[in-house]
Amino acid sequence: MKKKYSFILLLLMCLPVLAQQQQQQQQQQESVQNSTDNIFTIVKPDYTLSPYTGMTKQHWKDAALYLLKGAFGYIHNLDDPMKFPKQLGISYPKDEGKVPTEKLEGLCRTLFVAAPILKENPSLEINTIKVADYYRYQIGKLIDPSSPSYIVPRSKNGGPNQNLVEFGALSVSMLIAPEILWDPLPQVQKDALAKTMISYADGPTVPSNWKFFNIFVLSFFKDKGYPVNEKLLVDYLQKSLDHYRGEGWYNDNPAFDYYSMWAFQMYGMVWSEYIGKKYYPEFAVKFETNFKDLKDNYPYMFSRSGEMIMWGRSISYRIGSIIPFPLMGYEQDKDINFGWMRRISSGVMKQFLEHPDFMKDNVPTLGFYGAFEPAVQGYSCRGSVYWMGKAFLGLMVPDNNPFWTATENEGAWEKEFVKDTVYHEFQKSSEILITDYPNIGAAELRAWCNVPVINASEKFRGSENYNRLSYNSAFPWQADGVNGEVAMNYVFKNNKQEWEPFRLYTFKKFEEGVYYRDVVLETNSNIKFNLAEIPLANGILRVDKNRSTDPIAMRLGHYALPKLDAEIKTTITKVKGHQATIIDNGKYQLAMIPLLGWDKTEVVAAKGLNPSSDESAVIDVSVNFTPQKDTSAIYATLMLWKKSGEKWSDKELLPVKKIKYSEKENTVRITMVNGEKKIVKYN
């Protein structure tokens, strides 16, 4: 009997402990729940100030807190690192040696989100953790040799690495919130931190936007009274300016991409505002002058509803692309349409933060909407995504700034653009063409790509991130498939019997609405084309000349459509002797009409290749090219689009009335149904 009562007593004593453990497990599960239960919601939207998005500065703060709470779901005490579940695939770490850097990324990058909030609310608590205390504690661990998070100072002959990047990021946050992140540190920690961080900054770097990481570290510690290599600092400032090409674009050596605009321009403006004006006014003036140029073209790269284009590497940083817009608030420029700039910025936030696939395990995925391996680079870990937190540096712009007080509007889309017309912003220095389509409210761009991938250390520079014929805000790029599935590019059956895309482009000119490039196949220089594309009100007319001297099987793909709520419908119709193939996913329709050169049209289903859905479809045209047979070798193709539910007229499906190639003149003369005449001049 005594044993029975003893057991009952023991059970009663254990019940509270078991209940507590169960509660803790439940809380932990809830803190890392999937995105389907955790989508950002705009509370009390303000449709008076922001009639299109409902978002105000307060909602930007809410968005930052939303991201930060997700990250702190993994923090239960001060010793827990900002380390998140690894996304299966090519991202690092693949061994324990990279874990300290992974933790450093998580710490420094989430700090981009936290620093502006802590600036206003230093006592912020999340998950019972005092956020400021956590970051200061973890910063101290970076210089503690007994800590698993310890970062070894750069050796005397050490080269640049990821630690330099993250210390540059840490410097930016300490620069904007020193009273939170720097001033409270004990002097011994300050000195040790200076020694470690300067060891990386006072040394080699990568000849790209990386120079700014050296610049920010050296600038911060100079401002705090530490001796730094000022000669090197000035050298890196000048070399960063040397990347400028005009019209807002820097070259990121070798590429043009979002980094060429938002990263360079953000670094230049933030550095000028916090350091440059004080110590190096001549450099600050140059960065600010370059910054002024972006307002004339960068806003046109976003759709009418404020969607960004999927293009270039590190696309997982997503909303980071908007940071130049709030930073315009530092300019005293009355010609800037701040209501449009905020409408774009908040639109991009909604594009991702409200998407059900954006978050998994309470952390943004590596991808575009959800996880998408073709868009991931090996230098990224799961915490890398918080580089997008740079968008929240815009919160440092004062409340009374016109960026926050102007009423949202749609800028050029409502005041300049007319239906059934197409608009271009051509960047002569970078050779980038931005095109806007009022009929569907989409933005599109054509940009540089000329990087081999064979034996390359950075194969992504010649991948779909850069090698598509064009990139459109309405139709995110689809990856190529091993069976020849292709969207918005050519692929060829090479000597290895593999489908190989074009990637080695040479820009020629943009003239009278025609964008010209030459291109060769990497594995066979005998496969070469003169490319010419003409954006139309409802799509693109391609008139490409095949100058190849070897026979080859080839395909050309339209943009792809993801499967949404219902099956993708296919319709085939005839228009004046031409076959039009149309696919419809309930949101958009795509139509492809071969005019010259092609033998076959087919709708190709794909799995796992599209960033918006596991299932997708694309319209391809194909032919087996024979040089002796196809002497003129002109491939003319209409690649059109409409919103779902809208009917196609014959004039819309076949806007071309007549097309004629002159071998003697090396031109194609085109007469449109509306009477307009166009001439494609390959020479």
Side-chain angles (χ1 to χ4, degrees):
M1 184 66 71
K2 283 185 178 181
K3 288 183 179 180
K4 182 177 180 181
Y5 284 123
S6 298
F7 174 76
I8 294 172
L9 181 62
L10 181 63
L11 183 62
L12 290 172
M13 291 173 64
C14 290
L15 281 175
V17 177
L18 292 170
Q20 185 180 10
Q21 289 177 345
Q22 186 177 9
Q23 185 180 13
Q24 288 175 344
Q25 290 175 353
Q26 184 178 353
Q27 288 174 345
Q28 189 170 10
Q29 289 173 354
E30 289 174 355
S31 71
V32 293
Q33 60 188 321
N34 285 337
S35 62
T36 51
D37 301 319
N38 186 22
I39 299 174
F40 176 67
T41 302
I42 299 173
V43 179
K44 296 181 180 178
D46 184 344
Y47 291 113
T48 301
L49 181 63
S50 303
Y52 296 96
T53 69
M55 293 187 73
T56 64
K57 189 176 186 181
Q58 180 57 52
H59 297 111
W60 279 45
K61 296 175 187 177
D62 294 344
L65 195 58
Y66 159 77
L67 289 172
L68 201 59
K69 283 182 177 179
F72 268 82
Y74 294 88
I75 308 303
H76 303 287
N77 59 67
L78 295 182
D79 282 305
D80 286 341
M82 279 290 178
K83 187 177 182 299
F84 311 109
K86 186 183 185 303
Q87 183 170 302
L88 296 178
I90 67 172
S91 61
Y92 90 90
K94 296 185 182 297
D95 57 71
E96 287 299 311
K98 289 288 187 180
V99 171
T101 301
E102 178 194 17
K103 295 176 182 177
L104 182 64
E105 281 209 42
L107 180 74
C108 297
R109 297 189 177 207
T110 57
L111 196 48
F112 278 130
V113 185
I117 304 176
L118 290 172
K119 186 90 174 173
E120 183 174 301
N121 182 11
S123 61
L124 176 68
E125 285 191 24
I126 301 177
N127 199 24
T128 73
I129 302 292
K130 288 185 179 295
V131 174
D133 288 351
Y134 172 79
Y135 281 105
R136 287 193 294 264
Y137 180 82
Q138 285 290 326
I139 288 171
K141 289 299 177 183
L142 301 177
I143 48 176
D144 179 0
S146 66
S147 169
S149 298
Y150 176 63
I151 301 297
V152 180
R154 184 182 70 90
S155 63
K156 185 177 180 180
N157 299 317
N161 59 39
Q162 195 67 36
N163 293 341
L164 168 62
V165 177
E166 306 316 320
F167 281 139
L170 179 57
S171 297
V172 173
S173 293
M174 292 194 302
L175 197 63
I176 68 170
E179 70 279 14
I180 305 294
L181 302 171
W182 174 258
D183 296 345
L185 298 179
Q187 189 61 45
V188 65
Q189 285 192 349
K190 291 180 179 179
D191 293 344
L193 200 60
K195 182 179 179 180
T196 297
M197 292 176 68
I198 292 174
S199 77
Y200 286 92
D202 186 5
T205 192
V206 177
S208 65
N209 72 88
W210 276 45
K211 287 184 287 292
F212 275 108
F213 307 135
N214 304 70
I215 288 169
F216 273 108
V217 174
L218 295 174
S219 295
F220 175 79
F221 285 106
K222 171 184 170 63
D223 187 53
K224 297 306 174 186
Y226 288 86
V228 300
N229 187 342
E230 199 149 356
K231 182 179 178 181
L232 185 66
L233 171 57
V234 170
D235 181 54
Y236 283 160
L237 284 166
Q238 184 55 58
K239 286 179 176 176
S240 295
L241 285 167
D242 291 343
H243 284 266
Y244 192 61
R245 298 293 182 269
E247 294 143 327
W249 291 97
Y250 290 79
N251 182 267
D252 200 28
N253 191 26
F256 287 101
D257 51 29
Y258 279 108
Y259 267 95
S260 303
M261 182 62 79
W262 76 258
F264 271 96
Q265 292 287 16
M266 178 211 71
Y267 293 140
M269 276 298 281
V270 171
W271 179 86
S272 297
E273 191 68 24
Y274 285 90
I275 292 291
K277 291 178 180 178
K278 183 177 180 181
Y279 296 107
Y280 306 98
E282 68 281 6
F283 283 108
V285 167
K286 292 177 182 178
F287 282 120
E288 289 172 347
T289 300
N290 294 348
F291 185 85
K292 291 179 186 295
D293 293 342
L294 71 85
K295 69 176 182 296
D296 296 322
N297 53 78
Y298 194 48
Y300 295 85
M301 272 179 57
F302 297 81
S303 76
R304 181 167 192 160
S305 58
E307 295 164 315
M308 69 178 287
I309 297 171
M310 185 182 179
W311 167 56
R313 69 185 181 95
S314 298
I315 199 65
S316 297
Y317 304 161
R318 303 166 173 106
I319 65 173
S321 63
I322 67 177
I323 183 55
F325 298 125
L327 292 184
M328 287 179 182
Y330 287 129
E331 295 187 273
Q332 302 300 315
D333 189 344
K334 296 181 180 178
D335 293 332
I336 295 175
N337 183 345
F338 286 103
W340 186 25
M341 300 305 102
R342 196 176 77 255
R343 191 270 178 276
I344 294 172
S345 303
S346 296
V348 173
M349 280 202 182
K350 288 166 65 72
Q351 177 184 2
F352 297 106
L353 271 63
E354 292 185 340
H355 196 282
D357 297 331
F358 172 71
M359 297 277 264
K360 183 179 180 182
D361 304 323
N362 257 17
V363 179
T365 54
L366 282 166
F368 192 61
Y369 289 118
F372 187 58
E373 279 299 297
V376 180
Q377 286 75 55
Y379 55 74
S380 291
C381 66
R382 189 65 182 276
S384 297
V385 294
Y386 291 102
W387 209 242
M388 72 176 71
K390 291 179 178 180
F392 299 109
L393 296 179
L395 292 172
M396 305 306 295
V397 176
D399 293 358
N400 61 355
N401 189 276
F403 179 80
W404 300 115
T405 61
T407 302
E408 269 187 357
N409 63 78
E410 293 185 310
W413 295 95
E414 66 182 43
K415 295 180 180 179
E416 301 173 28
F417 296 164
V418 178
K419 192 178 178 183
D420 296 326
T421 310
V422 66
Y423 294 88
H424 301 296
E425 295 285 338
F426 178 61
Q427 330 285 272
K428 186 176 181 180
S429 56
S430 61
E431 300 168 351
I432 291 173
L433 178 66
I434 301 170
T435 302
D436 292 305
Y437 298 94
N439 284 9
I440 63 167
E444 186 175 71
L445 67 84
R446 292 160 178 82
W448 175 93
C449 180
N450 196 318
V451 178
V453 301
I454 298 173
N455 299 323
S457 60
E458 295 183 328
K459 296 182 184 295
F460 60 81
R461 294 196 182 278
S463 72
E464 297 94 327
N465 293 277
Y466 294 96
N467 71 25
R468 304 294 85 172
L469 294 165
S470 56
Y471 293 86
N472 193 293
S473 62
F475 314 108
W477 63 258
Q478 176 167 293
D480 295 338
V482 295
N483 297 315
E485 305 97 322
V486 61
M488 200 43 69
N489 202 353
Y490 284 90
V491 288
F492 302 85
K493 204 67 166 296
N494 63 22
N495 293 333
K496 292 184 177 181
Q497 296 303 297
E498 297 172 343
W499 288 101
E500 178 183 342
F502 273 148
R503 60 175 65 94
L504 302 180
Y505 299 90
T506 301
F507 172 79
K508 304 304 290 186
K509 59 184 175 179
F510 177 63
E511 181 179 270
E512 297 179 351
V514 186
Y515 191 79
Y516 296 88
R517 287 172 286 188
D518 290 347
V519 63
V520 299
L521 195 67
E522 181 180 356
T523 62
N524 185 352
S525 60
N526 292 329
I527 306 301
K528 49 192 174 182
F529 274 57
N530 300 134
L531 302 177
E533 48 216 278
I534 307 170
L536 307 172
N538 291 312
I540 303 163
L541 170 60
R542 301 202 60 81
V543 188
D544 300 328
K545 181 177 180 180
N546 188 345
R547 296 174 51 242
S548 304
T549 55
D550 289 354
I552 199 163
M554 55 188 251
R555 309 180 78 174
L556 169 68
H558 200 332
Y559 288 121
L561 285 183
K563 178 183 174 182
L564 300 177
D565 298 328
E567 295 295 326
I568 296 174
K569 297 178 181 178
T570 299
T571 304
I572 297 175
T573 187
K574 288 278 188 179
V575 184
K576 297 183 179 179
H578 294 280
Q579 178 179 300
T581 303
I582 305 167
I583 57 176
D584 187 335
N585 72 344
K587 185 175 182 181
Y588 290 109
Q589 303 174 71
L590 295 176
M592 202 163 189
I593 303 96
L595 302 178
L596 290 175
W598 299 104
D599 284 346
K600 183 180 178 182
T601 304
E602 60 182 326
V603 177
V604 179
K607 275 201 167 188
L609 300 180
N610 195 281
S612 301
S613 174
D614 184 54
E615 296 181 52
S616 60
V618 61
I619 313 171
D620 285 357
V621 287
S622 59
V623 69
N624 291 320
F625 170 73
T626 305
Q628 296 77 14
K629 177 183 175 183
D630 303 314
T631 53
S632 65
I634 299 298
Y635 292 86
T637 320
L638 284 163
M639 309 165 85
L640 309 176
W641 50 70
K642 262 183 177 292
K643 291 182 179 180
S644 186
E646 296 180 355
K647 292 185 177 180
W648 294 89
S649 67
D650 286 354
K651 289 182 179 180
E652 288 171 332
L653 280 175
L654 192 63
V656 176
K657 183 177 181 181
K658 186 178 180 182
I659 183 167
K660 184 177 182 182
Y661 171 63
S662 170
E663 187 173 358
K664 182 179 179 181
E665 297 178 353
N666 199 24
T667 62
V668 174
R669 296 180 180 273
I670 305 162
T671 303
M672 306 299 286
V673 171
N674 63 7
E676 185 180 357
K677 296 183 184 296
K678 296 181 180 292
I679 303 177
V680 174
K681 304 173 185 178
Y682 296 113
N683 58 351

